[in-house]
Every structure is written in C-alpha cells, then in structure tokens.
Amino acid sequence: MQRWLPILVSVAVIAFAGVGAQRWWWRPRVSAAASAAAPALVEARDRARAFASARGLALSFDAGVGAAAELTWRAPGECVEVYRVRVDETFRDPAVAVFLGREEEHASWALALAARPSSSRPGLVAVDGLLMSLDPALDPVDPDSGAERRRQLWWSARAAGPAAPDFACRQRSWDPLEDAVALGWPALPDHRVRVGEAWLGGAVEGRCHETTCVDDQGQFPHDRPCRARPWREVLAGVSQGPPEVALILGNWDDGHDLARPEIGILTSRELLIVEGRPLRAHVRIEQRWVGVVRELELTRIDDCGDQTTALNDYYSGDRSGDSTDDQPDNRSVVTRIRARLRLPPTGPAPSPQTKRAEVGG
C-alpha cells in the first residue's frame, strides 16, 4: 500500500491539473475563438478599419486566435485632449414629441481634458474637464446660456469619472459632460482578456432600476426585483501594435422580452481604443416603449499622441491629400476649446457677504 500511495497521489494531481487546464484554459480559449469569428464581431472590425483608414491609420487586428490583452486607459496629460461629441435622436412618429413635450435633439459638443497639476494621487490622475456647446446660438461667455460645463474629473487605469451611471437607459442627457465620460471611457476589466471573450462591465444604476419593473402599460407592478443588470462587454479585436488597438462591443438591456418591440430598452456600444484613448465611441439607445432612438458619438479630433503619427498628422493638418471630412473645422474647435479650458470659469462676481462667508468671517 505504501508503494502505491505516491503513484495514486501523482495520478490524482495530474488528473486534477488536466481537468483544471481544460476548464480554465482550453474551454475559454475555444469559446473565445468561436465568438471572435461571429458575424457581429467581424462586421464591427470592418467598420473600425474603415473609420481609422479615413484618418490615415491602417488597422490589422492581427492578434492571433486566443491572444490576450490587458486593457488600460491612458490618462490625459499636459497636451489638452479634445473630442467631438454628437447627439442625434429619432422619434418613431410625431406623437412622441407631443408626449415628451419637446422635439428631437440634435446637438454637437466639444470635450476638452487636461491633467490638473499637483492634484494626482497614487493610481489616480486628477483631470480638468470642459464641455463646450458648438451651437453658434449659445454664448460661451454667458454663464446662464448653458454653453459650457466644467468639472473636476479623475482617471485611473480601469475607469474614469464621474460618469453617468444610468447613461444606458436615459431618454435625454441631464449632464452631457458625465454622459460624455460614460460614452467614451467605460469600466475595463482588471485581468487580461482574449479576443472574443466576454465579461461583466460597469454597474448600471439610478433610473435604470425602474425600467426593469415597468410593464407595457407604464406601471410598476414590482413582481420582480427592480435591479438593473451591468453592461455586458466583449473584446472584438486587438492589435498589439504599435499602435496598440482594442475594439470593444458593449450591450445592455433592461431585461424585458427582446421579441416584444413595444417595451424595453436596448443599448449597444462600439468603442475603438488606440494607445489607451478612445478614437471613436458610438452608442445607440433604443427606447422602445416611448419610441425614441438616441445615437451618441464621441470622436478624437486633437493632435496629441506618441506613436499614432498618422492621426497626429491628420488632425494637425500635415496629412497629404484632400480632406474627406470636417478636418479644418475640427482644428478650429480644438483651438477654441483649448483656449477656453485655460480660462477661469465665468460668472457673477461674489458679493461681500459671500466673500466673508468663504473666509469664515
């Protein structure tokens, strides 16, 4: 018995290791490879390549099947990063405008981000954020016009904020700056992921909890827990570069039967990350029960960067050839918002009583 005991232990250890390898390495690898070849992911990679190609950047998504990547955000630095944010709505019919008491929203904003000197903590970078409306009818100097929103933000390797936690289910933007952060910088996983592998993303909170319980009559019978599910993310493509590129697809719904077109909320996101920064993020929020489709897009328009020389040349105007989009207008927007970000917030001068209160007098 003493002779066979070590042999039996060795066989058991080998068997356990084999089962573990199959369960935690082989099966996830095979599953991720099958998912990576799904038509939705293939089509998303084609769209990403076309978008980047129009800006002089060739994407290959050359990482092999089963290749893993560590996804991280690169925090804004001294170079002021600038993004264009576009919001467009489509109403199902004219009755929707009557029901909501407003017309379709079609708005364009510019978002500027820059590191705040001497304010960072270990693992976090303090960021100054400015969202400026591109509507010429709004006066950015007038603090009551709503043309500008300023915020102190933070960046880490996995997340940025504050970001709207109920961004996935909203009918409209109550804070466009928080929505812009949620649009372009969702929570990333804290582990390496393979192409085709899915994971649970950031929590969805706030008003989205209510939508899980609403019925087709607009009532809340509460026959099930009113708790929204998190985002569901999948790594659709990766290129280990340079430049390093990742394509992420995200989905969220409020748990209603997807086969019933008259109820429920469906949200989808495509996010193209280049060197730790979003190059393009597009979200589609389908409010089925009210008849509103919201589409939000965030695109990089600045010339900040290290290795993405094609993008830097394109946005700085050094790219050869004719411009195919609003590149000159983008340069004007970048110049304007960078100047505004460095200016102090406008507003009425504080009264003597306010000054005394601030110093404790």
Side-chain angles (χ1 to χ4, degrees):
M1 184 64 183
Q2 292 179 349
R3 177 183 176 184
W4 287 98
L5 183 59
I7 297 177
L8 292 175
V9 171
S10 300
V11 171
V13 169
I14 294 173
F16 180 80
V19 171
Q22 182 183 31
R23 181 175 181 180
W24 290 294
W25 183 81
W26 178 250
R27 286 183 182 177
R29 184 184 179 92
V30 172
S31 177
S35 298
L41 273 63
V42 173
E43 293 171 3
R45 290 194 289 268
D46 290 341
R47 288 190 294 269
R49 276 191 287 262
F51 180 86
S53 177
R55 283 147 182 81
L57 181 63
L59 300 184
S60 61
F61 294 115
D62 54 1
V65 175
E70 183 175 1
L71 306 177
T72 58
W73 293 120
R74 188 182 76 181
E78 293 182 0
C79 181
V80 179
E81 299 179 0
V82 183
Y83 302 85
R84 183 184 290 267
V85 182
R86 180 71 193 176
V87 181
D88 289 291
E89 288 184 327
T90 303
F91 290 174
R92 182 171 52 207
D93 52 59
V96 175
V98 177
F99 175 75
L100 295 179
R102 63 179 180 87
E103 298 299 323
E104 295 177 351
E105 179 184 4
H106 299 281
S108 187
W109 303 79
L111 173 67
L113 304 168
R116 194 161 62 251
S118 304
S119 297
S120 299
R121 298 180 180 180
L124 293 177
V125 175
V127 173
D128 284 324
L130 170 64
L131 190 74
M132 181 181 75
S133 173
L134 298 180
D135 184 349
L138 299 179
D139 182 4
V141 180
D142 181 4
D144 297 325
S145 69
E148 288 187 359
R149 289 169 171 81
R150 294 174 180 264
R151 186 71 62 85
Q152 292 184 348
L153 309 169
W154 55 264
W155 250 246
S156 75
R158 309 296 180 186
D166 52 358
F167 169 74
C169 72
R170 285 183 174 180
Q171 293 181 32
R172 61 178 303 180
S173 292
W174 298 104
D175 188 330
L177 200 155
E178 282 199 11
D179 281 359
V181 176
L183 168 63
W185 291 267
L188 298 178
D190 59 358
H191 58 276
R192 296 176 65 84
V193 291
R194 299 179 179 88
V195 176
E197 184 177 352
W199 69 92
L200 291 181
V204 177
E205 305 283 356
R207 296 184 179 184
C208 298
H209 294 322
E210 299 177 0
T211 70
T212 65
C213 298
V214 69
D215 60 21
D216 52 4
Q217 302 300 318
Q219 303 299 317
F220 297 89
H222 297 288
D223 58 349
R224 56 177 172 169
C226 294
R227 187 72 183 179
R229 62 187 67 184
W231 281 87
R232 297 182 298 276
E233 314 279 7
V234 61
L235 182 60
V238 67
S239 175
Q240 297 175 344
E244 295 181 353
V245 177
L247 177 64
I248 298 174
L249 303 186
N251 287 279
W252 182 86
D253 65 77
D254 60 0
H256 287 88
D257 185 357
L258 301 183
R260 299 180 60 188
E262 77 280 4
I263 192 171
I265 301 175
L266 303 179
T267 301
S268 61
R269 178 181 57 235
E270 291 188 10
L271 172 62
L272 179 59
I273 304 172
V274 178
E275 292 185 341
R277 292 182 53 195
L279 177 62
R280 177 181 185 263
H282 179 267
V283 168
R284 187 177 191 273
I285 305 173
E286 184 181 353
Q287 301 271 351
R288 289 180 160 192
W289 63 276
V290 76
V292 177
V293 174
R294 290 173 52 79
E295 293 194 67
L296 300 91
E297 184 176 47
L298 177 143
T299 54
R300 168 189 164 178
I301 61 172
D302 65 69
D303 55 355
C304 300
D306 298 323
Q307 300 180 30
T308 49
T309 54
L311 292 175
N312 299 338
D313 293 345
Y314 179 86
Y315 289 121
S316 65
D318 296 332
R319 178 173 177 262
S320 61
D322 296 330
S323 176
T324 58
D325 63 0
D326 55 351
Q327 178 188 356
D329 183 54
N330 284 339
R331 293 199 299 271
S332 173
V333 169
V334 169
T335 300
R336 286 168 50 202
I337 196 169
R338 281 177 171 170
R340 294 296 304 170
L341 181 66
R342 296 312 186 187
L343 293 176
T346 57
S351 65
Q353 292 82 0
T354 301
K355 291 182 178 179
R356 285 196 297 270
E358 288 177 350
V359 297

